[in-house]
Amino acid sequence: EEAFRTCVILTFIGGNDGGTYTFSQNTAFDSLSYAAAAVVGGSANGRKLWKHGGKSLKQLDEELPSN
């Protein structure tokens, strides 16, 4: 897992601007959690970690009207 994270950082992340990593190219992961784990260096729940507009993806999903 650590070797994978190091590879991701060296290959895809262009820089660290005040604690925010920026990917230098489009990067595909099999899941939100796998992408989160690559960035934080351990297990992570991608639905809770990734945010848009200050809200986690989990919060945004919960706000959607149910069908």
Side-chain angles (χ1 to χ4, degrees), residues 44-59:
N45 182 328
R47 292 186 64 224
K48 292 181 180 178
L49 182 89
W50 298 116
K51 297 184 187 283
H52 179 75
K55 295 183 179 182
S56 71
L57 295 181
K58 182 177 188 228
Q59 290 170 314

Side-chain angles (χ1 to χ4, degrees), residues 1 3 5 8 10 13 15-18 21 24 28 33 35-36 40 43-45 47 52-53 58 61-63 65 67:
E1 189 172 285
R5 181 173 185 264
V8 167
L10 293 175
I13 299 178
N16 180 342
D17 181 22
Y21 289 103
S24 60
S33 293
V40 301
S43 296
N45 182 328
R47 292 186 64 224
H52 179 75
K58 182 177 188 228
D61 281 345
E62 290 169 350
E63 291 176 2
N67 292 332

Side-chain angles (χ1 to χ4, degrees), residues 6-39:
T6 301
C7 178
V8 167
I9 289 173
L10 293 175
T11 305
F12 299 110
I13 299 178
N16 180 342
D17 181 22
T20 302
Y21 289 103
T22 304
F23 283 82
S24 60
Q25 64 189 50
N26 290 339
T27 307
F29 292 93
D30 290 335
S31 72
L32 294 170
S33 293
Y34 199 55
V39 173

